């Protein structure tokens, strides 16, 4: 498919439109006229500014961070099925966050809360474990990488079940709700906690887009162009762990965004990395924001956790990729 730079502007317009329009949508539609009517203490105005607007911002940040993380892993390992979810990174971050919640840890270190810090540590530990298991036999295979990710994710899931089983009824239900990926936001505290990590991690990835593009073509070629492949891999691992850890700590393990968004963007923009990274960022954020808006009314007046909806969409998409991807890319 020929490269079409103008499509990036379509992504930008689409993302801006979604962010501006989504807060008005819900079980009860809030008219824009009400916001400028001067009735500042009405319930609808408070719901709009204290719940819907911060929830939209959180969902966009989470979608953008997960989509960029999936894009980086697919490019770095040259495998279309590599995402934070399939590689067990979301599972490691979930285990760290669940332990912090279950043990009641409440502290702040270097600006990170205990839940975010534990989720970040779990994500980084999962990456090191999966990568170490893959290189255990001395060679590297993306097929073995995916198998190691599935095994590690299953192991972490079993540990999460053990932690959940030892909790009382109230904590068990709270943990189960969180594990479904619920964007329950009240106020801007979650935005303040998530934004620095997603922006820092995303900024690092955007800054080294050229190095990622060269690594995706092969380590030998990247070395010949002066890229320190080992250092870049470590930097990409750190940046993605920073984003995934903060997102999982606040939103829970929302899966498949890192799988769907990069592939749709590649279909529309081609395989070039120059504009594909920002397009993935914009589309991923807008896609999760739309999924969250749909989750609010699909079973109204109840609310479906957004992680359930993304799993319903991502499961068939994963099977499609598995059936259409050649063996040499798996």
């Amino acid at each position: 498919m020929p490269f079409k730079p103008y499509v990036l502007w379509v992504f930008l317009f689409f993302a801006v439109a979604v962010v501006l329009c989504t807060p008005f949508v819900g079980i009860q539609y809030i008219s824009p006229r009400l916001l400028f009517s001067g009735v500042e203490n009405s319930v609808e105005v408070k719901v709009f500014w204290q719940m819907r607007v911060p929830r939209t911002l959180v969902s966009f940040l989470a979608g953008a961070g997960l989509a960029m993380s999936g894009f980086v892993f697919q490019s770095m390992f040259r495998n279309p099925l590599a995402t934070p979810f399939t590689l067990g990174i979301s599972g490691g971050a979930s285990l760290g966050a669940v332990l912090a919640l279950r043990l009641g840890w409440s502290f702040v270190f270097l600006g990170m809360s205990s839940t975010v810090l534990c989720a970040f540590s779990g994500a980084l530990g999962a990456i090191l474990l999966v990568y170490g298991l893959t290189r255990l036999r001395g060679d590297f295979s993306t097929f073995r990488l995916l198998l190691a990710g599935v095994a590690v994710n299953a192991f972490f899931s079993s540990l999460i079940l053990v932690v959940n089983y030892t909790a009382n009824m109230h904590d068990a239900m709270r943990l189960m709700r969180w594990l479904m990926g619920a964007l329950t936001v009240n106020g801007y505290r979650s935005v303040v906690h998530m934004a620095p990590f997603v922006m820092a991690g995303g900024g690092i990835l955007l800054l080294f887009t050229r190095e990622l593009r060269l690594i995706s073509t092969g380590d030998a070629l990247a070395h010949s162009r002066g890229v320190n492949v080992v250092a870049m891999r470590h930097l990409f691992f750190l940046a993605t762990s920073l984003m995934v850890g903060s997102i999982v700590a606040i939103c829970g393990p929302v899966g498949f965004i890192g799988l769907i968004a990069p592939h749709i963007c590649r279909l529309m923009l081609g395989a070039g990395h120059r504009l594909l990274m920002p397009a993935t960022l914009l589309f991923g954020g807008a896609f999760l924001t739309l999924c969250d808006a749909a989750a609010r009314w699909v079973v109204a007046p109840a609310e479906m956790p957004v992680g359930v909806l993304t799993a319903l969409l991502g499961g068939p998409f994963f099977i499609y990729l598995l059936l259409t991807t050649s063996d040499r890319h798996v």
Side-chain angles (χ1 to χ4, degrees):
M1 182 178 181
F3 180 68
K4 300 178 180 179
Y6 71 86
V7 179
L8 182 61
W9 291 101
V10 177
F11 279 99
L12 179 60
F13 177 80
F14 173 67
V16 172
V18 168
V19 171
L20 292 179
C21 297
T22 302
F24 296 98
V25 180
I27 299 176
Q28 180 181 1
Y29 171 74
I30 297 178
S31 173
R33 294 182 180 179
L34 183 63
L35 302 179
F36 304 100
S37 62
V39 186
E40 299 180 357
N41 295 324
S42 67
V43 175
E44 290 82 2
V45 172
K46 290 182 179 179
V47 167
F48 181 86
W49 290 113
Q50 294 299 318
M51 298 183 67
R52 292 192 181 179
V53 170
R55 181 165 180 163
T56 299
L57 296 176
V58 166
S59 61
F60 186 86
L61 287 171
L66 293 174
M68 291 182 71
S69 299
F71 175 83
V72 168
F73 286 124
Q74 291 166 19
S75 301
M76 189 163 52
F77 297 122
R78 297 182 289 279
N79 191 296
L81 303 180
T83 68
F85 191 79
T86 56
L87 293 180
I89 300 168
S90 294
S94 299
L95 177 61
V98 163
L99 286 174
L101 293 173
R102 175 68 181 87
L103 298 176
W105 291 343
S106 180
F107 59 86
V108 177
F109 179 73
L110 297 178
M112 292 187 290
S113 66
S114 55
T115 306
V116 173
L117 184 62
C118 290
F120 169 70
S121 302
L124 189 59
I127 289 179
L128 297 176
L129 182 58
V130 171
Y131 193 70
L133 290 174
T134 307
R135 299 300 298 267
L136 196 60
R137 295 177 56 180
D139 59 343
F140 181 84
S141 168
T142 54
F143 178 71
R144 189 177 295 116
L145 177 78
L146 287 174
L147 289 180
V150 171
V152 168
N153 189 59
F155 177 68
F156 286 154
S157 297
S158 63
L159 292 180
I160 291 173
L161 290 177
V162 171
V163 174
N164 195 32
Y165 181 76
T166 60
N168 57 46
M169 184 63 70
H170 177 267
D171 290 340
M173 291 299 296
R174 183 168 62 96
L175 291 175
M176 183 59 66
R177 174 76 176 182
W178 178 84
L179 287 170
M180 292 180 183
L183 298 179
T184 304
V185 177
N186 187 6
Y188 294 86
R189 183 177 179 181
S190 298
V191 180
V192 174
H193 286 174
M194 182 190 296
F197 302 106
V198 174
M199 293 176 66
I204 292 173
L205 299 179
L206 290 172
L207 185 63
F208 293 99
T209 301
R210 172 184 173 273
E211 286 76 6
L212 179 62
R213 178 178 59 82
L214 291 173
I215 291 175
S216 69
T217 60
D219 292 354
L221 179 60
H223 276 299
S224 67
R225 297 297 178 87
V227 177
N228 189 334
V229 176
V230 175
M232 284 293 102
R233 288 187 189 275
H234 292 167
L235 183 62
F236 293 147
F237 284 154
L238 181 64
T240 52
S241 297
L242 196 67
M243 293 193 298
V244 174
S246 63
I247 292 169
V248 170
I250 294 173
C251 304
V254 180
F256 295 104
I257 299 298
L259 182 72
I260 298 174
H263 284 284
I264 292 179
C265 292
R266 285 191 185 95
L267 290 175
M268 299 188 67
L269 285 175
H273 283 244
R274 186 168 62 90
L275 296 179
L276 189 54
M277 177 79 82
T280 302
L281 182 156
L282 294 171
F283 182 78
F287 180 71
L288 184 57
T289 303
L290 287 176
C291 288
D292 182 53
R296 291 202 297 264
W297 59 262
V298 69
V299 290
E303 181 178 314
M304 176 185 293
V306 68
V308 176
L309 184 58
T310 58
L312 290 173
L313 297 174
F317 193 83
F318 184 87
I319 295 174
Y320 165 77
L321 290 177
L322 190 63
L323 296 176
T324 57
T325 302
S326 60
D327 292 340
R328 62 190 180 90
H329 289 145
V330 177

